[in-house]
Amino acid sequence: MEKRMLIIDTDPGIDDAAAISVLLSEPSLDVRLIASVAGNVGIEHTTNNALKLLAFLKKDIPVAKGAAAPLMRENRFATNAHGMSGMGGFDFPEPRKELLLENNAVMNEYKILMESEEKVTILTLGPLTNIALLISTFPEVKEKISEIIMMGGSTERGNIGIYGEFNVSIDPEAAKIVFRSGIPITMVGLDIGRKARLLVEDLEELEQSGDPGVMISSLFRSYDGGHVEEGVKMYDPSAAMYLMEPELFETKDAFIDVEISSPLTIGATVVDYDGTLCEKRNAKVCVDVDVERFRRRYVQRVADITR
Ligand code: BDR
Ligand code: CA
Protein backbone atom coordinates (compact mmCIF):
# COMPACT_ATOMS: atom_id res chain seq x y z
CA MET A 1 0.00 0.00 0.00
CA GLU A 2 1.29 3.45 -0.92
CA LYS A 3 1.33 5.42 2.31
CA ARG A 4 0.43 9.07 2.66
CA MET A 5 3.32 11.06 4.11
CA LEU A 6 2.46 13.22 7.07
CA ILE A 7 4.10 15.84 9.29
CA ILE A 8 2.31 16.62 12.56
CA ASP A 9 2.96 20.12 13.97
CA THR A 10 1.60 20.26 17.50
CA ASP A 11 1.63 21.69 21.05
CA PRO A 12 0.80 18.68 23.25
CA GLY A 13 -1.58 19.27 24.95
CA ILE A 14 -4.21 16.79 26.12
CA ASP A 15 -6.34 16.78 22.96
CA ASP A 16 -3.17 16.80 20.84
CA ALA A 17 -2.15 13.54 22.55
CA ALA A 18 -5.61 12.11 21.88
CA ALA A 19 -5.26 13.02 18.20
CA ILE A 20 -1.66 11.82 17.73
CA SER A 21 -2.40 8.49 19.42
CA VAL A 22 -4.92 7.44 16.77
CA LEU A 23 -2.91 8.85 13.85
CA LEU A 24 0.14 6.76 14.71
CA SER A 25 -1.85 3.53 14.36
CA GLU A 26 -3.44 4.38 11.01
CA PRO A 27 -1.83 1.98 8.52
CA SER A 28 -2.24 4.25 5.49
CA LEU A 29 -0.12 7.02 7.06
CA ASP A 30 3.65 7.41 7.13
CA VAL A 31 4.22 9.92 9.93
CA ARG A 32 7.65 11.37 9.21
CA LEU A 33 7.94 13.95 11.98
CA ILE A 34 6.31 15.36 15.07
CA ALA A 35 7.25 19.04 15.28
CA SER A 36 6.59 20.81 18.56
CA VAL A 37 5.56 24.44 18.96
CA ALA A 38 4.88 26.61 21.98
CA GLY A 39 1.15 26.91 22.57
CA ASN A 40 -0.79 25.17 25.31
CA VAL A 41 2.43 25.25 27.36
CA GLY A 42 6.04 26.30 26.75
CA ILE A 43 8.24 24.68 24.12
CA GLU A 44 10.22 22.55 26.59
CA HIS A 45 6.99 21.03 27.86
CA THR A 46 5.35 20.50 24.45
CA THR A 47 8.53 18.82 23.15
CA ASN A 48 8.88 16.68 26.25
CA ASN A 49 5.21 15.72 26.09
CA ALA A 50 5.61 14.48 22.51
CA LEU A 51 8.55 12.35 23.65
CA LYS A 52 6.60 11.02 26.65
CA LEU A 53 3.64 10.11 24.46
CA LEU A 54 5.93 8.23 22.06
CA ALA A 55 7.44 6.36 25.01
CA PHE A 56 3.97 5.32 26.09
CA LEU A 57 2.87 4.36 22.57
CA LYS A 58 6.21 2.64 21.84
CA LYS A 59 6.54 4.42 18.49
CA ASP A 60 9.81 5.53 16.89
CA ILE A 61 8.77 8.81 15.30
CA PRO A 62 11.39 11.60 15.17
CA VAL A 63 10.57 14.75 17.12
CA ALA A 64 11.93 18.24 16.39
CA LYS A 65 11.68 21.20 18.70
CA GLY A 66 10.02 24.20 17.09
CA ALA A 67 9.29 27.85 17.79
CA ALA A 68 9.48 28.96 21.40
CA ALA A 69 7.22 32.00 20.94
CA PRO A 70 4.79 33.53 18.44
CA LEU A 71 6.19 35.69 15.62
CA MET A 72 5.30 39.05 17.12
CA ARG A 73 3.60 38.45 20.44
CA GLU A 74 4.19 37.12 23.93
CA ASN A 75 3.35 33.53 24.80
CA ARG A 76 -0.01 32.93 26.45
CA PHE A 77 -0.44 29.39 27.72
CA ALA A 78 -3.58 27.29 28.28
CA THR A 79 -2.56 25.68 31.57
CA ASN A 80 -6.13 26.14 32.81
CA ALA A 81 -7.26 23.49 30.31
CA HIS A 82 -4.15 21.28 29.99
CA GLY A 83 -2.44 21.54 33.42
CA MET A 84 0.92 23.11 34.25
CA SER A 85 2.94 20.58 32.23
CA GLY A 86 0.39 20.32 29.41
CA MET A 87 -0.47 16.65 29.73
CA GLY A 88 -1.54 16.35 33.36
CA GLY A 89 -3.87 13.57 34.46
CA PHE A 90 -1.79 10.54 33.47
CA ASP A 91 1.51 9.14 34.67
CA PHE A 92 3.56 8.81 31.47
CA PRO A 93 6.85 6.92 31.22
CA GLU A 94 10.11 8.85 30.89
CA PRO A 95 10.42 10.79 27.59
CA ARG A 96 12.19 9.01 24.70
CA LYS A 97 14.93 11.68 24.48
CA GLU A 98 16.79 9.74 21.78
CA LEU A 99 13.99 10.53 19.32
CA LEU A 100 14.71 14.27 19.53
CA LEU A 101 16.46 15.54 16.41
CA GLU A 102 19.33 17.97 16.57
CA ASN A 103 18.01 20.68 14.28
CA ASN A 104 14.92 22.73 14.86
CA ALA A 105 11.47 21.86 13.53
CA VAL A 106 11.55 24.28 10.59
CA MET A 107 14.80 22.83 9.25
CA ASN A 108 13.53 19.29 9.64
CA GLU A 109 10.22 20.08 7.97
CA TYR A 110 12.16 21.70 5.12
CA LYS A 111 14.41 18.66 4.73
CA ILE A 112 11.57 16.15 4.70
CA LEU A 113 9.59 18.18 2.18
CA MET A 114 12.48 18.80 -0.20
CA GLU A 115 13.72 15.22 -0.08
CA SER A 116 10.30 13.72 -0.67
CA GLU A 117 9.31 12.61 -4.15
CA GLU A 118 5.62 12.83 -3.32
CA LYS A 119 3.76 15.72 -1.81
CA VAL A 120 3.40 15.67 1.96
CA THR A 121 0.36 16.48 4.12
CA ILE A 122 0.85 18.73 7.15
CA LEU A 123 -1.52 18.50 10.11
CA THR A 124 -1.35 21.45 12.49
CA LEU A 125 -2.74 21.06 16.01
CA GLY A 126 -1.18 24.17 17.55
CA PRO A 127 -0.26 27.77 16.68
CA LEU A 128 1.01 28.16 13.12
CA THR A 129 4.38 29.71 14.01
CA ASN A 130 6.57 26.91 12.60
CA ILE A 131 4.62 26.71 9.36
CA ALA A 132 4.71 30.47 8.82
CA LEU A 133 8.47 30.47 9.39
CA LEU A 134 8.88 27.48 7.09
CA ILE A 135 7.00 28.91 4.13
CA SER A 136 8.42 32.42 4.56
CA THR A 137 12.00 31.18 4.75
CA PHE A 138 11.71 28.46 2.11
CA PRO A 139 8.84 29.35 -0.24
CA GLU A 140 9.89 26.48 -2.52
CA VAL A 141 8.35 24.02 -0.04
CA LYS A 142 4.85 25.18 -1.00
CA GLU A 143 5.06 22.98 -4.11
CA LYS A 144 5.81 19.98 -1.91
CA ILE A 145 2.85 20.33 0.45
CA SER A 146 -0.29 18.58 -0.74
CA GLU A 147 -2.50 20.10 1.93
CA ILE A 148 -2.46 21.70 5.36
CA ILE A 149 -5.18 20.34 7.62
CA MET A 150 -5.48 22.74 10.49
CA MET A 151 -7.22 22.56 13.84
CA GLY A 152 -7.76 26.23 14.31
CA GLY A 153 -10.10 29.12 13.84
CA SER A 154 -13.85 29.19 14.13
CA THR A 155 -16.79 29.87 11.87
CA GLU A 156 -18.68 31.11 14.91
CA ARG A 157 -17.47 32.26 18.29
CA GLY A 158 -14.06 31.85 19.89
CA ASN A 159 -12.55 30.40 23.06
CA ILE A 160 -9.82 32.94 23.84
CA GLY A 161 -11.61 36.00 22.53
CA ILE A 162 -15.22 36.51 21.50
CA TYR A 163 -14.30 35.41 17.97
CA GLY A 164 -10.71 34.26 18.46
CA GLU A 165 -9.83 30.58 18.66
CA PHE A 166 -6.67 29.68 20.65
CA ASN A 167 -4.32 28.30 17.95
CA VAL A 168 -5.00 31.17 15.57
CA SER A 169 -5.19 33.92 18.20
CA ILE A 170 -1.94 33.02 19.93
CA ASP A 171 -0.07 33.76 16.70
CA PRO A 172 -2.50 35.54 14.36
CA GLU A 173 0.25 36.88 12.09
CA ALA A 174 1.51 33.33 11.51
CA ALA A 175 -2.01 32.12 10.73
CA LYS A 176 -2.47 34.99 8.29
CA ILE A 177 0.75 34.04 6.46
CA VAL A 178 -0.47 30.45 6.20
CA PHE A 179 -3.97 31.35 4.93
CA ARG A 180 -2.42 33.67 2.33
CA SER A 181 0.17 31.12 1.17
CA GLY A 182 -1.81 29.57 -1.67
CA ILE A 183 -1.31 26.07 -0.18
CA PRO A 184 -4.56 24.04 -0.09
CA ILE A 185 -5.93 24.34 3.45
CA THR A 186 -8.72 22.61 5.30
CA MET A 187 -9.78 24.37 8.48
CA VAL A 188 -11.32 22.19 11.17
CA GLY A 189 -12.47 24.86 13.57
CA LEU A 190 -13.69 25.23 17.09
CA ASP A 191 -17.36 24.80 16.20
CA ILE A 192 -16.65 21.26 14.89
CA GLY A 193 -14.73 20.27 18.03
CA ARG A 194 -17.52 21.67 20.17
CA LYS A 195 -20.05 19.55 18.34
CA ALA A 196 -17.99 16.33 18.14
CA ARG A 197 -18.03 15.51 21.87
CA LEU A 198 -17.21 12.24 23.54
CA LEU A 199 -19.76 11.31 26.19
CA VAL A 200 -19.08 9.79 29.59
CA GLU A 201 -20.20 6.40 28.22
CA ASP A 202 -17.50 6.74 25.52
CA LEU A 203 -14.85 7.42 28.16
CA GLU A 204 -16.02 4.34 30.03
CA GLU A 205 -15.71 2.32 26.84
CA LEU A 206 -12.21 3.70 26.28
CA GLU A 207 -11.26 2.61 29.80
CA GLN A 208 -12.36 -0.94 29.00
CA SER A 209 -10.52 -1.02 25.68
CA GLY A 210 -6.91 -1.26 26.93
CA ASP A 211 -4.02 0.90 28.11
CA PRO A 212 -4.21 3.57 25.36
CA GLY A 213 -7.91 4.03 26.14
CA VAL A 214 -7.13 4.35 29.85
CA MET A 215 -4.47 6.96 29.05
CA ILE A 216 -6.76 9.03 26.82
CA SER A 217 -9.71 8.81 29.19
CA SER A 218 -7.53 9.85 32.17
CA LEU A 219 -6.25 12.86 30.24
CA PHE A 220 -9.76 13.86 29.24
CA ARG A 221 -11.05 13.49 32.78
CA SER A 222 -8.61 16.21 33.85
CA TYR A 223 -9.05 18.34 30.70
CA ASP A 224 -10.54 21.83 30.91
CA GLY A 225 -11.72 21.51 34.50
CA GLY A 226 -12.83 17.90 34.03
CA HIS A 227 -16.52 18.62 33.31
CA VAL A 228 -16.93 15.38 31.41
CA GLU A 229 -20.67 15.20 32.08
CA GLU A 230 -21.07 17.95 29.44
CA GLY A 231 -19.12 15.81 26.98
CA VAL A 232 -15.46 16.23 26.00
CA LYS A 233 -14.84 18.68 23.16
CA MET A 234 -12.75 16.96 20.51
CA TYR A 235 -10.76 19.78 18.92
CA ASP A 236 -7.48 18.23 17.73
CA PRO A 237 -9.00 14.73 17.35
CA SER A 238 -11.54 16.24 14.90
CA ALA A 239 -8.73 17.41 12.62
CA ALA A 240 -7.06 13.99 12.90
CA MET A 241 -10.35 12.23 12.11
CA TYR A 242 -10.94 14.54 9.15
CA LEU A 243 -7.53 13.54 7.80
CA MET A 244 -8.33 9.83 8.11
CA GLU A 245 -12.08 9.76 7.49
CA PRO A 246 -13.16 12.93 5.65
CA GLU A 247 -16.53 11.32 4.84
CA LEU A 248 -17.61 11.97 8.46
CA PHE A 249 -17.50 15.72 7.75
CA GLU A 250 -19.19 18.23 5.50
CA THR A 251 -17.02 20.97 4.01
CA LYS A 252 -17.56 24.20 2.11
CA ASP A 253 -15.13 26.27 0.04
CA ALA A 254 -14.42 29.72 1.44
CA PHE A 255 -12.08 32.67 1.55
CA ILE A 256 -10.57 32.83 5.02
CA ASP A 257 -8.41 35.56 6.50
CA VAL A 258 -7.32 36.46 10.01
CA GLU A 259 -7.91 39.71 11.87
CA ILE A 260 -4.60 40.95 13.26
CA SER A 261 -5.21 44.53 14.31
CA SER A 262 -8.57 45.09 15.98
CA PRO A 263 -8.26 44.70 19.77
CA LEU A 264 -11.88 43.49 19.91
CA THR A 265 -11.58 40.75 17.33
CA ILE A 266 -7.89 39.89 17.17
CA GLY A 267 -7.36 36.34 15.91
CA ALA A 268 -10.84 36.03 14.44
CA THR A 269 -11.02 33.89 11.31
CA VAL A 270 -13.22 35.72 8.84
CA VAL A 271 -14.90 33.02 6.75
CA ASP A 272 -16.47 34.28 3.51
CA TYR A 273 -18.47 31.56 1.74
CA ASP A 274 -20.23 33.73 -0.81
CA GLY A 275 -17.56 35.98 -2.28
CA THR A 276 -18.76 39.02 -0.35
CA LEU A 277 -15.16 40.22 0.04
CA CYS A 278 -14.46 39.62 -3.68
CA GLU A 279 -11.49 37.39 -2.81
CA LYS A 280 -10.57 34.04 -4.36
CA ARG A 281 -11.48 31.07 -2.14
CA ASN A 282 -8.34 29.84 -0.38
CA ALA A 283 -9.59 27.07 1.91
CA LYS A 284 -12.09 24.37 2.64
CA VAL A 285 -13.81 24.67 5.97
CA CYS A 286 -15.55 21.91 7.91
CA VAL A 287 -19.10 22.99 8.55
CA ASP A 288 -20.61 19.81 9.99
CA VAL A 289 -19.72 16.42 11.44
CA ASP A 290 -21.71 13.20 11.86
CA VAL A 291 -21.32 13.09 15.64
CA GLU A 292 -22.61 9.56 16.24
CA ARG A 293 -20.30 8.03 13.66
CA PHE A 294 -17.42 10.23 14.81
CA ARG A 295 -17.76 8.97 18.40
CA ARG A 296 -17.98 5.35 17.32
CA ARG A 297 -15.05 5.57 14.94
CA TYR A 298 -12.80 7.42 17.40
CA VAL A 299 -13.46 4.93 20.22
CA GLN A 300 -12.84 2.06 17.80
CA ARG A 301 -9.59 3.61 16.61
CA VAL A 302 -8.34 3.90 20.20
CA ALA A 303 -9.25 0.25 20.81
CA ASP A 304 -7.23 -0.63 17.68
CA ILE A 305 -4.05 1.22 18.73
CA THR A 306 -1.04 -1.05 18.32
CA ARG A 307 2.01 -0.68 20.56
C1 BDR B 1 -7.02 24.31 20.43
O1 BDR B 1 -6.33 25.00 21.47
C2 BDR B 1 -5.63 24.07 22.28
O2 BDR B 1 -5.80 24.37 23.64
C3 BDR B 1 -6.11 22.71 21.91
O3 BDR B 1 -5.04 21.79 22.01
C4 BDR B 1 -6.58 22.87 20.49
O4 BDR B 1 -5.51 22.67 19.59
C5 BDR B 1 -8.49 24.56 20.61
O5 BDR B 1 -8.76 25.93 20.53
CA1 CA C 1 -3.39 21.64 20.28
Side-chain angles (χ1 to χ4, degrees):
M1 186 204 310
E2 184 119 334
K3 294 195 176 202
R4 177 174 175 191
M5 284 178 57
L6 178 67
I7 292 173
I8 304 173
D9 199 295
T10 176
D11 62 338
I14 286 178
D15 60 329
D16 303 71
I20 295 166
S21 298
V22 289
L23 288 162
L24 297 188
S25 280
E26 166 54 47
S28 69
L29 295 176
D30 176 8
V31 180
R32 302 302 302 275
L33 179 72
I34 296 180
S36 62
V37 65
N40 286 321
V41 283
I43 190 66
E44 298 303 331
H45 280 312
T46 58
T47 309
N48 213 38
N49 288 344
L51 297 168
K52 286 203 274 190
L53 181 65
L54 291 170
F56 174 83
L57 293 170
K58 302 191 171 76
K59 302 278 182 198
D60 294 332
I61 312 289
V63 172
K65 190 196 281 187
L71 297 183
M72 297 176 61
R73 295 167 195 269
E74 299 291 318
N75 276 313
R76 282 187 290 162
F77 301 135
T79 46
N80 55 324
H82 298 265
M84 290 311 284
S85 71
M87 259 171 31
F90 185 75
D91 196 10
F92 282 91
E94 286 303 300
R96 289 272 311 277
K97 293 232 156 93
E98 69 278 15
L99 295 175
L100 185 63
L101 299 171
E102 214 171 284
N103 284 329
N104 68 61
V106 173
M107 287 311 296
N108 279 291
E109 291 176 337
Y110 170 69
K111 187 163 181 283
I112 290 168
L113 289 164
M114 295 316 287
E115 285 176 0
S116 170
E117 278 170 20
E118 311 132 45
K119 292 195 177 193
V120 179
T121 301
I122 298 182
L123 174 70
T124 66
L125 304 175
L128 290 136
T129 320
N130 290 338
I131 308 300
L133 289 168
L134 172 73
I135 60 183
S136 307
T137 316
F138 304 112
E140 62 272 31
V141 298
K142 291 185 196 174
E143 297 294 307
K144 299 288 214 161
I145 301 171
S146 58
E147 182 183 12
I148 295 175
I149 298 174
M150 168 196 304
M151 190 286 128
S154 175
T155 60
E156 294 169 4
R157 298 178 77 91
N159 59 350
I160 188 169
I162 305 299
Y163 294 108
E165 179 279 331
F166 182 83
N167 290 339
V168 169
S169 301
I170 287 301
D171 197 345
E173 287 78 14
K176 196 175 196 67
I177 289 171
V178 173
F179 275 112
R180 289 186 170 191
S181 66
I183 300 166
I185 293 173
T186 300
M187 175 176 122
V188 185
L190 210 55
D191 32 304
I192 295 296
R194 280 180 171 150
K195 196 168 177 198
R197 292 180 192 218
L198 283 196
L199 306 182
V200 173
E201 64 201 69
D202 300 320
L203 298 184
E204 287 165 357
E205 209 177 320
L206 288 181
E207 285 153 11
Q208 298 305 315
S209 71
D211 291 346
V214 170
M215 179 271 287
I216 291 171
S217 177
S218 311
L219 290 178
F220 277 149
R221 284 184 186 279
S222 75
Y223 180 43
D224 209 4
H227 308 295
V228 291
E229 59 292 342
E230 298 162 8
V232 179
K233 298 171 194 130
M234 297 288 276
Y235 298 128
D236 294 342
S238 290
M241 289 298 284
Y242 173 80
L243 189 146
M244 297 183 289
E245 301 191 39
E247 62 281 4
L248 300 179
F249 300 80
E250 191 187 319
T251 61
K252 263 188 176 179
D253 292 335
F255 167 72
I256 304 179
D257 204 348
V258 180
E259 176 57 57
I260 56 167
S261 52
S262 156
L264 280 178
T265 55
I266 192 98
T269 38
V270 176
V271 181
D272 178 9
Y273 300 116
D274 308 320
T276 308
L277 300 174
C278 300
E279 298 278 359
K280 194 164 160 253
R281 291 179 173 87
N282 60 351
K284 269 197 296 196
V285 55
C286 282
V287 291
D288 208 356
V289 50
D290 182 335
V291 180
E292 295 299 312
R293 278 173 69 207
F294 175 97
R295 289 172 43 221
R296 252 183 293 127
R297 292 296 304 135
Y298 180 78
V299 171
Q300 186 60 51
R301 280 182 177 277
V302 175
D304 291 344
I305 286 174
T306 52
R307 300 199 297 155

